[in-house]
Amino acid sequence: RGIIKKFLLDPMQQAEKQKKIRELTAELEVTNQRCEVYRANLLTVLKDMEEQKLKLSVKVQNARFSLKE
């Protein structure tokens, strides 16, 4: 138990833990920013796909009306 207690209370170990926490926090922030960019790009692609689907739907409807006449 004494070794574990010493490990937990050792200032150097605490400093290393804090350093690692800061590194991981910075990495998480970068990853979150990258995720936001990917999300924005995906939403743009989905919006474009929806617009293309609607245009294609109108073309199909026009073709169907032309065939009926």
Side-chain angles (χ1 to χ4, degrees):
R1 283 189 155 220
I3 294 173
I4 294 172
K5 190 173 184 180
K6 181 181 176 188
F7 175 78
L8 293 174
L9 298 176
D10 184 11
M12 291 298 288
Q13 293 294 330
Q14 292 299 321
E16 285 297 316
K17 288 179 186 178
Q18 290 300 319
K19 180 181 176 188
K20 188 65 174 179
I21 288 170
R22 284 191 301 274
E23 290 171 357
L24 291 172
T25 300
E27 184 180 335
L28 180 61
E29 181 63 30
V30 169
T31 302
N32 284 339
Q33 289 172 356
R34 188 177 301 134
C35 184
E36 287 299 320
V37 171
Y38 292 154
R39 183 177 290 116
N41 289 342
L42 178 59
L43 290 174
T44 299
V45 168
L46 292 174
K47 181 180 174 188
D48 289 346
M49 288 175 63
E50 184 66 23
E51 290 173 2
Q52 290 298 321
K53 181 182 87 168
L54 291 173
K55 288 178 183 177
L56 186 57
S57 178
V58 168
K59 288 180 182 180
V60 168
Q61 286 293 342
N62 288 339
R64 289 178 67 203
F65 289 137
S66 293
L67 290 175
K68 287 183 178 179
E69 295 176 349

